[in-house]
């Protein structure tokens, strides 16, 4: 894409950044995690150099809606959710 990417969220927990990246991708929003390797390699610097979740500028509104839905718990499974039998 030929447009600027913007940061929509920052995380000291890189795993959380990747979970939300996957939520965005599943919703059709292009997303990338920046600085993940820095935070993983230098874990003591995670608060100084958090992982950044980025999307193209034109996708900002859609990305923020998905992040808000995640925060509300719209994607949460109930505690008694049955995964079924293994195949």
């Amino acid at each position: 894409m030929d447009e600027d990417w913007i940061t929509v969220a920052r995380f000291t927990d890189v795993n959380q950044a990747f979970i939300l990246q996957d939520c965005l991708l599943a919703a059709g929003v292009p997303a990338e995690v920046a600085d993940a390797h820095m935070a993983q390699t230098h874990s003591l610097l995670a608060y100084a150099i958090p992982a950044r979740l980025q999307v193209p500028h034109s996708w900002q509104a859609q990305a923020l809606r998905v992040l808000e839905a995640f925060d509300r718990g719209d994607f949460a499974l109930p505690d008694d959710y049955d995964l079924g039998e293994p195949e």
Side-chain angles (χ1 to χ4, degrees):
M1 294 189 154
D2 291 339
E3 65 180 294
D4 290 336
W5 286 59
I6 60 166
T7 300
V8 292
R10 289 181 169 81
F11 302 93
T12 55
D13 180 352
V14 175
N15 295 319
Q16 186 74 13
F18 283 117
I19 289 169
L20 285 165
Q21 177 192 23
D22 288 341
C23 287
L24 289 170
L25 293 173
V29 178
E32 293 290 334
V33 175
D35 302 324
H37 298 297
M38 180 67 74
Q40 289 173 327
T41 303
H42 303 287
S43 59
L44 295 176
L45 295 177
Y47 289 96
I49 307 171
R52 295 174 293 142
L53 183 58
Q54 297 190 312
V55 299
H57 187 268
S58 63
W59 288 86
Q60 179 181 10
Q62 294 92 323
L64 293 176
R65 283 195 295 273
V66 171
L67 296 178
E68 289 169 2
F70 183 88
D71 287 341
R72 279 193 311 268
D74 292 358
F75 306 132
L77 296 174
D79 290 336
D80 61 349
Y81 183 77
D82 183 9
L83 294 173
E85 294 296 318
E87 294 181 13

